[in-house]
Structures are given as structure tokens and as C-alpha cells.
Amino acid sequence: MATPSSAATTTNIMIAIFEKKTNSLDLYHPLRNYIVINYGEREAQNLEDDLQTVKELRSNLERWPTPADLSLPSRRDLLQKYFRALCAIESRFPISPDKDHINTVSFTWFDAFKNKQKASQQNIHLEKAAVLFNLGAVHSQMGLSFDRSGVDGRKQASHAFIAAAGVFAFLRDNVASKASMGSSTTVDVSVECAGMLERLMLAQAQECVFENTIAKGNTPGVCAKISRQVGLYYEEALAALNVAPLNQHFDKNWLTHVQLKAALFYAEACYRYSLELHEKEEIAEEIARLKSGVGALSEAKKSSSRGAAQQLLDSMNKLEATLNRNLERAMKENERVYLMRVPTASSLPPLPAFSLVKPLPMSEVLDASKEKMFANIVPDSSAKSLSRYTEMVDDVIRTQAEKLQQASELARVRLKEMDLPDSILALEGNSTLPTSLKEDVEAVQVCGGPAGLEGELQQLKDLRRVDQELLVQTEELLQKEATEDAQFRSQFGTRWTRPQSSTLTKNLQDRLNRFAANLKQAAESDGRIEQSVRDHSAFMSILDHRPIESALPTLSRPIMSLDANEDAVVGTLKQSLRQLETLGAQRAGLEDMLKEMKRKDDILPKLMTSTGSHEDLYRKEIAKYDHICQEIAQNVEAQEQLLMHIQAQSDNFAAVFNLEDFKASRERSYKQIEAAIAKYREIKENINEGLKFYVTLQDAITNIKQQCSDFVMTRNIQCQEMIEDVQRQISGLSFQDGKNTVGYKYPAVGHPHQTQRMNSQQQTDPGIMSNTAHPLTPPYLSQQQPMPGYSQTPSPYVSAPPQVPPQQQPMPGYCQTPSSYVSPPQQVPPPYHLPASGPPYPPPYHQQQAPVTNEYGQPAYPGWQGPHYNAPPPQPGYMPRHPYNVQPPYPPPHQSGYYRQ
């Protein structure tokens, strides 16, 4: 029993609880050994700080606190921290006599009320119960330490007693029953004792509130209710003290104190209530209440006066005198004035009571789920429990998400059926296109739209003109070479034994003719495209509207209205649609809330520290989602009701604004746009085919032009050699090999002495060249040197050159015969006579399929990277792929004749 604190009144005698005592205990080594055995030395080293913390907490707990060592708030914090550490230890370290568990730890605690009694158990529940008991005791000591002579002091004391009541309630509900199941236990941590102490602390907390109520001067009725509740709390504590196992455990002074307090505050309630009755002139009940209060005080003093604090007895005597004084006055007034019959005490209703205190919840303060101690150790049982809980949460999330999605889809479908909100937008001049159709229109407009087709047609014309010019230039090359060859043949007669150009260029001419035919056919297709663009320009012009919605019809108001309620119809429907949109936004927010709750929902720490059934924890934790599930159900139900209203409003709207005619007009516009897109794509695809055709044909003509240039150059080189030989014959400077009696044979082209002789002949006999009817060398070849691509091209009219000494290399440009123009080397024919074995030039195109390619191993001109020089060599008669075979990516609804035969 604590000594009374200094106070101004004589009614503030209260009780504080002393802490339990314990023996020294080593938790460090048993816990560390268990970690090493089950998790390894490395894990034990990682958890060294946590082990040291537990060791320090236990050591501080064992030391009996003194005012010099530790203040009450610090002691409170120590006990709270150690209790959370015990919860972390409980879920990870099994402490029991089992051989596989930590069986070297035994917790010993002495009874707080009978110090000679002690309990020793090899389980952590006794340790937790003792720590909670001491925590409640510290709170009670803090309540008694405050100066309750002032209002603030009484408030602080009340809060401390409330906290003590909360700790003892937590002990009773969560730990006491488990601690009492051991082989040895003490009464102070039993369920009955914890419940009694909770009532006692609440009584003292309510008593502090009553004292503040008196100090504030509240009405007698309010004071009576608060005082009566103080008495009830004391009566409940007294009832627990009078039954086993507490009736034989506590000192008589406890019983005396609690019994006197219960009687004192019952009498105080009677006194305060009688004052209110006196104001109401209810004298009979006033007399009965005063008699009841006096009787309660007299009975308490007779049975429990021994061992009571003198201050408490003085308070009771003072209150009793006041009650007797008021009783005497009331009885005189009743006898003289009211003459009312006084009821018996048993017939009176119970005094009203009002509680202003309740136990402080300690679940959050003592929650170890946020404790980081030993967090790396997760038993398999906790992991499995977490997995099961996660499945439960996932099932809730999945079910609710499906409800939300179904509700959103239902709203979308119903609005689509009612043509909302498109009809409202059309009424306001904001018509909309279906998404797919709008995307198609945007794609057409990005490409330039129908207005851009003229520019593409001009590109076709430009490309066709370029191809025609290239073709003409190529034909002029061959024609010029043929003309010069004919001039020399006419000049030299039978001495000009070289094959005619027309026989060598037949393949090239055939290909050029085919290219010309393709160009003619393409020009006809271009004309058909141009005609199609002109014919459908007005039809496709709808696609040039920006935005395209401006081409759609609008919903008009009725010309005549009987009741002029169109605005009201539209306004009501708009309001309903806004409400529907709000519900949709709420669903999106609810779905996000579900996902966020699941993301933050980590109950592993609670599973690790939970000492009860996991099923109970599951139900408690899964209940967090109940309010969201209820909101989802309410949202879905509200949408169903709202859709019914919108349906009725939509029917009214359609009737007022003749919506069916508008829908028909809008559908016709949609079809017109679709048809315009189809026609645009058809024309666009044909133009693209034409562009591809002309580009490909340009590459082919460029390739054949290069071949013709190579042919002309080779012929000019051969022409130069033959002119020299003919001039030597005419001038008598030619010579023949004595061994060659068959006929004249040209020496191999490319030998150094041959080149030297040719050059010297040109230098020493300039007159011969000047006497010819035409220049022997064409003007455009007069300064031209053999191109690098001709490094090994012999004369097409002679046999293979004789063997050249190793030190003499052939000159570039005369070592191999271009296969495009001549046949393989033949036997040397007689001079000026064609060989009997066959012609010295390739047969016509239909007889020989020699590949036409760049025979000289070099591109036509530096930097050229065209496909005809990177791709495999084309065959003779190569032509670009006919554009009519290209499959368009968007096949038009009707086959057109553009580039197709």
C-alpha cells in the first residue's frame, strides 16, 4: 500500500503497485548458440548487435530501480522496449524443455504482493507477464507521483492511471492465461488479479476526474454521476478481492481501503444527487438518498475501520456529518411543508452513473511488428502463414477488381446502346467519329490527303520524263557509234573487217525497245490515274476537312415545340451523365486504393510476434479491406440505379430531338468517309506503284546506259587499232610474220612493243590521219583514257594473245573479252574474212543468255551504290519488275486498271 501523496484534500488517498522482482538470467549465450546451430556462425555475427541489446535490456530490468538510477518514464520505456524484444524472440526462438529447443533458460519471478512466493518456468510467457505487470505498476507509480492539488496534476494522474489500467487489461486478455498454465505460477499475474487491478486503476482515474469536476463547480447532478461511477469501479475491485484466488492473497489493508472508498463515493453520489433533488423539491426521495448514504458510511466504518488511513476515515466522518445535517433539515421541511411519504431505500432506482475513463489501448504501444530485431530470421511456419494470407488478400483483390471492371464495361455498353454521349455532343456541334474511322482519316491527312495527290501525280510525270531522257541518251550513244562505224566501213571498204554495230547491239536494242514500250504503257496508266483523281476529287474532298468532325451532320433542335422543355431534357440528361462519370472515377480510385493497400499490407512482423491463433489474425487483418469492398458494392448499386434513370431520360431525349433521323444521316456520312478513304487508298497505292516502277526503271536504264557506254568505248579502242593497221597497209608499212602464211593476224593487244609501235606510228605519220575523210577518233574519245574497269579487255576480233614474258604485263584494258558483246575466243581467221566456224559477236538475245553485268569489276562511276551493282548480275534482256504485280497493302474494293493489264 503506497503512502498518500501531498494534497490539499483528504480524499486523494490512492494506491500504487510495486514491481515484481526477478533473478539474474543470461539470455545472450543460449540465443546465440541456437542461431549458430540452426543458421550458422555468419548469421550469429550479423545478429550480434541484437543479442547485445537483449542482454543489456535484461540486465537493466534486473536492477531494482531507485530514484537516483532511473526515472519512472525511463523505466516505462525500458519495460516497453524489452516486451517488444520478447515478442520478437518468442516467434523465432523456441524456449521450452524440449531437447531441440532452448532448454537452458528458466525465468524466475517473485510475487509482487507476497515476496516469498516465486514462479520458475522454461517458457517466455511468464517473462512477458511479469514485464507487463511491472509496466502497469510503473504507470500507477507515475499517477501517484503527480501533484493532484491542481487541475493539471489531476489530469496527468488520471492519464497515468488510465495507462496502468490499459496495461493490466492487456495482461489479462493476452498473456495471463498462458503464464498461468506453467508448472509454477504466482497469483499476481493471474487473470483475476489483472482484472482487479484494471478496475482499481480505473477507479482512481475516475476519482481524479471527479475532483476536477468539483473544482470546476459543475452541477450536483453531473458530480453525482461521476462520483457514482467511481464507487462502481471500487465495488468491482472489491468484489474481485473477496473471491478466490485473491481473497487469501492480499493484505487486509487492501480490502479495507477499497471497501471504504466504495462506500465513500456511494455516499458522495447520494449527497450530490440529494442536492439536485432538493432544487426540484423532491423532498421524499432526497430524504431516502441521504439515509442511504449515511447507512453506507456507517456500515463501512463498522466492518472495515481497522487498518484504514486516518485521512480516509476523516473524509468519511466529514461527509457523514454533512449528510446528517442535510437529512435533518429535509425531514423538518417535509414534516412542516411537503408531508410526503418517504420511500424505502430498496425501492429507489439505481443512482445514475457516467464514466469518463476507459483503459488505454496498449496494442499499438506494445506492437512488435515494427521491431527490426532479429528480422533476418524467418521461421518456415511464419513464411507459410504469410503465403496463405497473401492468397486470401489476392482473392479479395481479384474479386473486387472484377466487379469494378464489369461495372465499367456495363456502363460503356449501355451508353453505346443509347448513343450517349455522342448525341449530346452532336447537339452542341461537337460530333465525333468512331475511333477506328478517325484513325484512318488522320492517317490519310498525315499523308497529305486528296489535295496532296496532285503533287504526287507531278512526281510521276517528272520521273517518266527523266526515264525518257535517259532512254533517248542511251539510244543516241548506240546510234552515234553505229554511224561512225558505217562511215569507216564506207571509207575503207573491204579492209574494214570489224563486225557491224547492229549485229553486236541487238540485245541492247531489244531491251531498250522493251523499256520504251513499258514507258508508253506506264504513261497510259498515269493518264488513267489522273482521270480517276479528277473524277473523284469532289467525292474525296470530304477527307480534307480539318477537323474531320466538321463534315459530319449536327443534331438540330426541333423547329416547333409544344412545351419548350428541350433545355430541361438536355440538362437532366447531362447531369445524369456527369454523375455516371463521377461513379466511374470513384471506381478507378477504389481500384487504386485496393492495389495500394495490398502493396503496403505486410503482416509478416505481426505473424512473427503473434501469440494467438493465426486464423484470428487473418480475420482481423483481412477486415481492413471490408470498407473498400462496401464502397465498391455501393458504387455498383448506385450505377445500376443511375443507368435506369439515364435510359428513361435518353428515350425522352430521342423523342424530342428526332434522334433516329440524325442517326441515319450520320451513318450515311460515316459510309461516305469510308468510301472516300477506300478510293484515296486505291489511287494512292496506284501512284506508289507508279513511283516504284519509274524508280526501278530508271535504275535499269542507267545500268544499260552504262553498258552501252562501255560497249562504245571498247568499240572506239578497237576502231583505233584497226585504223592503224589499215593505214599501215595503205602506206606499205605493215609487216607480216614469215611463219604466218595463212593470213594477216592482229598482234596481241596490250604488249609493250605493240603499244610503243602504235604510239610512234601516230607520231611519225600525222598525215595519214589528216587525209582520212573523217577523224579516226571520235571527238568525245580524243582525250579519254581507258577506265579502270576495263583493265583486262582484249580485242573481240582476235584470238587469245600470245604468251607474254613474265616481266611484261599486259596493259590495262585489253586482256579479256567482254562476254556481253562477243563469243568466246575463236581461231584466228584470215585477214578481212569472217571465220567459218561462227560469228565473232554474240548471237541474238534469243540464242544466248549471257549475263549482262558490270564485266570490268568496277562500278559505273565512283560512289555509285545502286541495287544493280550490289545485287546479283541481271540476265540479258533484264528489265525492272513489272509494277502490275505489286500487291497493294490496302486492296481497293474494285480492281482498277492502273499498271495492270
Side-chain angles (χ1 to χ4, degrees):
M1 186 112 171
T3 58
S5 64
S6 60
T9 64
T10 59
T11 59
N12 57 359
I13 305 299
M14 296 184 181
I15 293 178
I17 315 299
F18 291 115
E19 291 187 51
K20 291 168 66 68
K21 293 182 180 180
T22 184
N23 292 335
S24 298
L25 177 66
D26 178 23
L27 281 176
Y28 174 84
H29 290 94
L31 294 180
R32 194 181 194 284
N33 292 337
Y34 181 84
I35 295 173
V36 172
I37 293 173
N38 292 275
Y39 300 98
E41 179 63 29
R42 178 183 291 273
E43 192 65 34
Q45 294 175 1
N46 294 336
L47 298 174
E48 182 65 25
D49 292 342
D50 294 342
L51 292 170
Q52 288 292 343
T53 300
V54 172
K55 180 180 178 180
E56 182 180 353
L57 290 173
R58 176 62 179 171
S59 177
N60 293 334
L61 179 72
E62 295 166 1
R63 187 169 59 251
W64 185 254
T66 62
D69 293 336
L70 203 63
S71 65
L72 290 174
S74 299
R75 184 73 177 177
R76 174 199 62 195
D77 296 340
L78 168 66
L79 290 167
Q80 290 176 354
K81 186 174 182 180
Y82 183 57
F83 180 83
R84 291 193 293 266
L86 289 175
C87 293
I89 292 173
E90 180 184 9
S91 60
R92 295 168 173 85
F93 301 96
I95 300 176
S96 73
D98 194 296
K99 64 178 182 177
D100 295 329
H101 294 176
I102 301 176
N103 52 19
T104 60
V105 174
S106 180
F107 300 100
T108 301
W109 286 90
F110 295 89
D111 195 289
F113 306 107
K114 291 187 178 297
N115 296 335
K116 294 183 180 180
Q117 296 182 10
K118 67 177 181 178
S120 296
Q121 296 183 15
Q122 285 183 295
N123 70 67
I124 204 168
H125 301 301
L126 177 61
E127 182 87 348
K128 293 174 64 178
V131 171
L132 286 175
F133 183 93
N134 285 357
L135 179 60
V138 168
H139 278 292
S140 71
Q141 295 170 24
M142 292 175 62
L144 205 63
S145 67
F146 292 112
D147 180 10
R148 298 190 304 280
S149 61
V151 175
D152 293 337
R154 287 190 287 266
K155 285 183 179 179
Q156 292 173 339
S158 178
H159 292 160
F161 290 132
I162 289 173
V167 174
F168 287 122
F170 189 88
L171 169 62
R172 177 197 63 202
D173 298 336
N174 298 282
V175 185
S177 59
K178 299 177 182 177
S180 301
M181 294 173 61
S183 56
S184 65
T185 185
T186 54
V187 176
D188 56 351
V189 293
S190 64
V191 174
E192 294 81 4
C193 185
M196 185 275 295
L197 293 175
E198 178 207 8
R199 298 289 100 181
L200 179 61
M201 294 299 107
L202 287 176
Q204 296 186 156
Q206 183 85 0
E207 185 176 348
C208 293
V209 175
F210 171 75
E211 291 174 0
N212 270 343
T213 304
I214 296 298
K216 292 178 181 179
N218 286 353
T219 62
V222 173
C223 295
K225 293 179 182 179
I226 297 175
S227 176
R228 181 63 189 123
Q229 186 61 51
V230 177
L232 290 176
Y233 283 140
Y234 276 119
E235 289 173 9
E236 292 173 358
L238 179 62
L241 287 170
N242 285 326
V243 297
L246 304 183
N247 58 347
Q248 301 298 326
H249 191 73
F250 281 86
D251 188 79
K252 291 295 183 180
N253 292 338
W254 274 79
L255 291 172
T256 299
H257 177 81
V258 174
Q259 185 176 1
L260 292 180
K261 282 277 189 165
L264 176 63
F265 280 95
Y266 173 76
E268 184 74 30
C270 290
Y271 167 69
R272 301 291 174 179
Y273 194 68
S274 68
L275 295 178
E276 185 178 38
L277 292 173
H278 187 78
E279 294 176 358
K280 296 178 181 179
E281 297 183 352
E282 296 179 4
I283 301 300
E285 186 177 354
E286 177 188 357
I287 295 172
R289 294 296 182 184
L290 291 172
K291 287 182 177 181
S292 178
V294 171
L297 290 175
S298 301
E299 184 68 24
K301 287 193 294 183
K302 289 179 182 179
S303 60
S304 304
S305 60
R306 293 181 181 181
Q310 187 59 42
Q311 290 177 321
L312 182 56
L313 292 175
D314 292 343
S315 298
M316 296 181 69
N317 291 333
K318 183 178 179 180
L319 178 60
E320 184 178 10
T322 302
L323 289 172
N324 285 326
R325 190 166 50 249
N326 287 357
L327 176 60
E328 182 180 355
R329 184 193 61 194
M331 292 178 65
K332 288 181 180 180
E333 290 180 357
N334 187 41
E335 291 174 356
R336 294 175 182 178
V337 180
Y338 298 102
L339 302 175
M340 299 178 65
R341 182 175 178 274
V342 178
T344 61
S346 60
S347 64
L348 295 175
L351 288 172
F354 184 71
S355 176
L356 293 177
V357 297
K358 61 180 180 179
L360 181 67
M362 301 302 293
S363 300
E364 185 175 353
V365 176
L366 301 176
D367 183 15
S369 61
K370 299 179 181 179
E371 196 70 31
K372 301 300 182 182
M373 189 174 292
F374 304 113
N376 294 340
I377 299 179
V378 180
D380 293 341
S381 59
S382 298
K384 292 179 181 178
S385 299
L386 178 62
S387 177
R388 182 181 176 190
Y389 176 76
T390 303
E391 292 177 357
M392 295 171 64
V393 173
D394 290 342
D395 184 63
V396 172
I397 299 295
R398 182 171 51 255
T399 301
Q400 299 304 317
E402 289 177 356
K403 289 183 180 179
L404 293 172
Q405 293 173 1
Q406 290 173 359
S408 298
E409 182 64 17
L410 175 63
R412 187 190 67 80
V413 172
R414 293 287 299 277
L415 290 179
K416 184 69 175 177
E417 293 174 352
M418 292 182 281
D419 199 31
L420 293 174
D422 293 348
S423 299
I424 299 292
L425 295 175
L427 181 63
E428 298 173 349
N430 299 319
S431 300
T432 59
L433 276 176
T435 303
S436 58
L437 187 58
K438 184 175 179 62
E439 292 175 352
D440 291 342
V441 173
E442 290 176 349
V444 170
Q445 293 178 345
V446 166
C447 294
L453 294 177
E454 293 295 335
E456 297 186 14
L457 290 175
Q458 185 60 42
Q459 292 182 20
L460 282 178
K461 295 178 181 178
D462 294 341
L463 286 174
R464 185 171 71 245
R465 177 181 53 78
V466 171
D467 288 353
Q468 290 174 342
E469 291 175 355
L470 285 174
L471 193 61
V472 170
Q473 293 171 6
T474 305
E475 291 175 344
E476 288 176 351
L477 282 175
L478 297 180
Q479 184 63 35
K480 184 175 182 180
E481 192 279 331
T483 302
E484 292 176 352
D485 182 71
Q487 291 176 352
F488 287 120
R489 191 176 304 279
S490 174
Q491 178 180 353
F492 295 110
T494 58
R495 293 186 179 90
W496 196 258
T497 60
R498 189 173 65 162
Q500 294 185 6
S501 297
S502 59
T503 61
L504 298 178
T505 59
K506 187 176 188 308
N507 290 339
L508 296 176
Q509 290 289 356
D510 291 343
R511 291 169 61 190
L512 291 175
N513 292 336
R514 282 193 291 272
F515 289 162
N518 286 342
L519 275 175
K520 181 179 179 181
Q521 182 181 349
E524 296 174 356
S525 298
D526 292 348
R528 289 194 294 271
I529 293 177
E530 294 177 5
Q531 185 62 39
S532 179
V533 171
R534 287 192 297 270
D535 293 344
H536 299 93
S537 59
F539 172 68
M540 294 187 296
S541 62
I542 191 173
L543 301 178
D544 288 325
H545 285 79
R546 296 178 184 269
I548 186 63
E549 288 81 5
S550 61
L552 298 177
T554 58
L555 182 61
S556 303
R557 293 178 177 271
I559 299 175
M560 298 182 62
S561 175
L562 298 178
D563 49 8
N565 65 341
E566 294 87 355
D567 292 337
V569 171
V570 175
T572 304
L573 185 55
K574 278 183 169 183
Q575 181 65 26
S576 298
L577 291 177
R578 282 193 291 268
Q579 294 176 4
L580 188 64
E581 185 178 359
T582 301
L583 291 176
Q586 290 177 356
R587 286 195 298 275
L590 291 172
E591 187 171 4
D592 292 340
M593 288 176 60
L594 280 173
K595 294 178 180 178
E596 184 66 15
M597 283 190 65
K598 182 181 182 300
R599 186 182 68 83
K600 295 181 178 180
D601 192 8
D602 181 15
I603 68 165
L604 179 59
K606 296 181 180 179
L607 289 171
M608 299 286 288
T609 57
S610 175
T611 57
S613 171
H614 283 176
E615 294 297 331
D616 296 337
L617 180 62
Y618 293 155
R619 285 191 292 271
K620 179 181 177 182
E621 293 297 324
I622 209 72
K624 295 182 298 188
Y625 297 89
D626 289 347
H627 71 282
I628 298 183
C629 296
Q630 293 174 359
E631 291 183 17
I632 291 174
Q634 294 172 359
N635 182 285
V636 172
E637 183 178 358
Q639 178 177 277
E640 292 178 356
Q641 297 295 327
L642 184 58
L643 285 174
M644 294 176 62
H645 293 303
I646 292 176
Q647 181 66 60
Q649 295 166 1
S650 176
D651 294 342
N652 190 19
F653 176 83
V656 170
F657 289 91
N658 195 13
L659 196 59
E660 293 302 322
D661 291 347
F662 165 75
K663 288 182 180 180
S665 176
R666 185 181 58 185
E667 287 299 322
R668 288 194 296 270
S669 297
Y670 288 168
K671 291 181 180 180
Q672 180 183 355
I673 293 174
E674 291 175 353
I677 292 173
K679 177 55 67 174
Y680 173 84
R681 286 175 174 171
E682 175 187 343
I683 295 175
K684 178 74 172 177
E685 180 59 27
N686 287 320
I687 291 177
N688 289 339
E689 289 182 20
L691 294 174
K692 293 177 184 177
F693 167 79
Y694 285 125
V695 170
T696 305
L697 184 61
Q698 181 177 342
D699 292 340
I701 295 175
T702 302
N703 182 40
I704 197 173
K705 180 181 178 182
Q706 182 63 37
Q707 295 178 18
C708 292
S709 298
D710 296 344
F711 169 77
V712 170
M713 180 175 291
T714 303
R715 292 278 288 179
N716 288 332
I717 293 172
Q718 295 170 353
C719 176
Q720 187 72 21
E721 294 177 355
M722 182 169 284
I723 289 173
E724 292 177 0
D725 288 340
V726 171
Q727 288 176 344
R728 282 195 297 271
Q729 292 177 16
I730 296 174
S731 304
L733 299 178
S734 301
F735 66 91
Q736 296 182 358
D737 190 346
K739 296 180 181 180
N740 185 4
T741 58
V742 177
Y744 180 84
K745 178 178 72 175
Y746 292 111
V749 180
H751 290 352
H753 67 277
Q754 175 69 18
T755 305
Q756 181 179 3
R757 181 187 61 78
M758 181 179 64
N759 294 337
S760 62
Q761 179 69 29
Q762 293 176 355
Q763 294 174 2
T764 56
D765 298 329
I768 299 177
M769 298 296 295
S770 60
N771 293 331
T772 58
H774 300 280
L776 301 181
T777 302
Y780 58 86
L781 293 176
S782 60
Q783 302 297 328
Q784 186 172 358
Q785 298 297 325
M787 295 181 65
Y790 312 142
S791 57
Q792 294 182 356
T793 309
S795 173
Y797 307 105
V798 298
S799 61
Q803 296 296 326
V804 181
Q807 69 275 12
Q808 296 179 347
Q809 298 298 330
M811 291 186 65
Y814 303 97
C815 294
Q816 290 186 2
T817 304
S819 60
S820 301
Y821 313 120
V822 296
S823 62
Q826 306 293 328
Q827 294 295 327
V828 180
Y832 312 112
H833 295 281
L834 294 177
S837 59
Y841 51 86
Y845 171 76
H846 65 275
Q847 297 180 4
Q848 180 178 353
Q849 299 295 331
V852 178
T853 183
N854 184 15
E855 299 83 6
Y856 307 100
Q858 296 292 334
Y861 50 87
W864 174 254
Q865 298 294 332
H868 293 280
Y869 293 94
N870 296 329
Q875 296 299 322
Y878 166 76
M879 294 168 56
R881 180 175 60 84
H882 209 284
Y884 324 136
N885 299 327
V886 177
Q887 296 297 325
Y890 302 99
H894 305 288
Q895 287 290 350
S896 68
Y898 309 134
Y899 300 103
R900 293 174 174 80
Q901 296 297 330

